[in-house]
Amino acid sequence: MKMRTRFAPSPTGYMHIGNLRTALYCYLIAKHDHGDFILRIEDTDQQREVEGAIDLIYQVMEETGLHYDEGPDIDGGVGPYIQSQRLDIYHEYAQKLIDLGGAHYCFCEGELEGEDPCLHLSQQEIQDKLDAGISHVIRQTIPTTGTTSFDDEVYGHIEVENKTLNEGILIKSDGYPTYNFANVIDDHLMNISHVVRGNEYLSSTPKYNLIYKTFDWEIPTYIHLPPVNKDETHKLSKRNGDASYQDLKEKGYLKEAIINYIALLGWSPADEEILSLDDLIAQFNIEHISKSPAIFDIDKLNWMNGMYLREMPLNQFHELLLPYYHSITRKVDLLELSKVLQPRLEKLSDVEESIDFINQAHPFDASIYTHKKMKTNPENSLEALELVKERIADFDDFNNDEAMTEFFVNLAKEKELKNGRIMWPVRVALTNKSFTPGGAVEIAHILGKEETLRRIDQAIIDLQNVIQ
């Protein structure tokens, strides 16, 4: 039997990280074995559906490269692939399940405690209530004796006593199925061989298996995934506004880095952690899926995203940054700016803060000139800047970093000073920042000779005013 997995999101908002992780694992499990990956939209909870959410699902799947073989817009012969378009199918199988003794009509209002009294209604009483138009649901009929067991590929053998299972609703009073019923019917009719979903469904799986057994259908292979937590005790939650794919994209993370990182939230590769989608397909195996909750570590994602940015060809990285340079009004060497940023940037949203000195230096702050490691202070920084001003006026090779570095090094050597005694004051004079993308040489290159000299002049005036 060909492996077939399905991703079945609800169109209730953004693509939550846990949902995307499930989609990714479904995709990788199928593609590792040359199987089919199916997209199914589970929109039976009409009250929670968000307008435009289905289009968002399509967009995320396309952007991340998780291309499905069958779905609402790719018919594989077992559709429709949107549950609200399958209501007749659910009602047909609900009636069959009633006939087989696996479900029953229930006319009770609210939640049930204990045995459902509607179990004891005669066929005539049921028909009379249906004919009278009394609101009703269809509930699963659970055996009161015996046990139901199943084997999960991650959590192993699980067995429960039937008497502990509640008789959940399969068809709601509005005619829509619950997940507990629709997922079983759809998975069977769509020939899903491996069901991949969160471990919150472990406790419900015995009830699903009772439906499979009542119909005498083959039970799929189960792969339940550990939760993705934001800390040791709290799960990431779409309802709580936790991270979504869209949030991460807006914060400047690359889709490749997001997918790579999410793959590691509950699965461990053999060695390398930086893996393309093709690498993940080749390496992914169910045996390395963890039982323990995965912690979403934003620092690890930052590191990984930075690795992806650094591995890009400079021209590609530069093109990526150009939209972030629109705020720059001064004529500067933008390619040189990208060259300086590439080894230092972790995410694209950091660009704005990194380049905020370009149009003009930050307000003067004498304290920044004091640097313990560089052995600088406002007084000796003033001396260094006056020296640089005197000598650099005759230096014209601002586009040659090697030559400019040699200029500063030779100047420090001549005065028997450490390089930092010259370069740190220049870096501060050009930016008035403690942390900059690049040092004195790179920043002077970016700003050019005229602006470099103007800022050094201003720094000298500011320092003189403070020291006097």
Side-chain angles (χ1 to χ4, degrees), residues 263-275:
L264 306 183
L265 292 175
W267 174 79
S268 54
D271 39 47
E272 293 289 327
E273 288 192 315
I274 304 298
L275 300 167

Side-chain angles (χ1 to χ4, degrees), residues 322-458:
L322 283 178
Y324 295 87
Y325 293 161
H326 287 162
S327 62
I328 297 177
T329 56
R330 182 178 301 286
K331 186 177 179 180
V332 296
D333 188 338
L334 294 179
L335 183 61
E336 178 66 17
L337 180 57
S338 294
K339 184 179 177 181
V340 169
L341 288 172
Q342 187 167 16
R344 297 166 172 86
L345 211 61
E346 286 193 327
K347 56 185 186 296
L348 299 179
S349 57
D350 293 339
V351 173
E352 185 177 353
E353 184 179 354
S354 300
I355 66 173
D356 61 3
F357 66 91
I358 298 289
N359 289 338
Q360 61 182 33
H362 279 222
F364 173 72
D365 181 354
S367 67
I368 304 176
Y369 285 92
T370 299
H371 194 296
K372 188 174 181 181
K373 183 179 178 182
M374 301 297 180
K375 295 182 169 53
T376 61
N377 55 48
E379 288 76 16
N380 62 29
S381 290
L382 175 59
E383 294 172 5
L385 290 176
E386 289 175 333
L387 179 63
V388 169
K389 176 186 175 181
E390 177 186 335
R391 299 291 182 87
I392 206 169
D394 296 326
F395 180 81
D396 293 318
D397 209 356
F398 271 67
N399 292 330
N400 187 331
D401 289 0
E402 190 174 326
M404 199 182 311
T405 300
E406 188 177 346
F407 166 81
F408 285 124
V409 169
N410 288 340
L411 192 57
K413 187 176 181 180
E414 177 189 326
K415 298 299 180 180
E416 298 182 345
L417 300 172
K418 295 285 186 181
N419 295 338
R421 279 282 304 277
I422 299 291
M423 289 187 173
W424 180 256
V426 172
R427 178 197 290 212
V428 176
L430 298 183
T431 64
N432 279 326
K433 292 183 68 171
S434 301
F435 301 98
T436 58
V441 170
E442 292 92 345
I443 295 170
H445 182 165
I446 292 166
L447 293 176
K449 181 173 182 177
E450 183 181 343
E451 180 63 12
T452 295
L453 288 174
R454 190 191 70 78
R455 294 193 184 191
I456 288 176
D457 283 342
Q458 184 60 52

Side-chain angles (χ1 to χ4, degrees), residues 246-292:
Q246 287 80 4
D247 292 333
L248 295 178
K249 279 292 297 297
E250 288 175 8
K251 290 175 181 175
Y253 295 97
L254 302 177
K255 60 187 179 183
E256 297 86 355
I258 296 171
I259 286 294
N260 190 163
Y261 178 66
I262 288 175
L264 306 183
L265 292 175
W267 174 79
S268 54
D271 39 47
E272 293 289 327
E273 288 192 315
I274 304 298
L275 300 167
S276 68
L277 191 55
D278 286 340
D279 294 333
L280 289 169
I281 291 172
Q283 292 194 29
F284 199 86
N285 55 358
I286 298 169
E287 293 77 16
H288 284 187
I289 297 176
S290 173
K291 296 179 183 179
S292 304

Side-chain angles (χ1 to χ4, degrees), residues 14 155-156 182 455:
Y14 290 124
Y155 291 90
R455 294 193 184 191

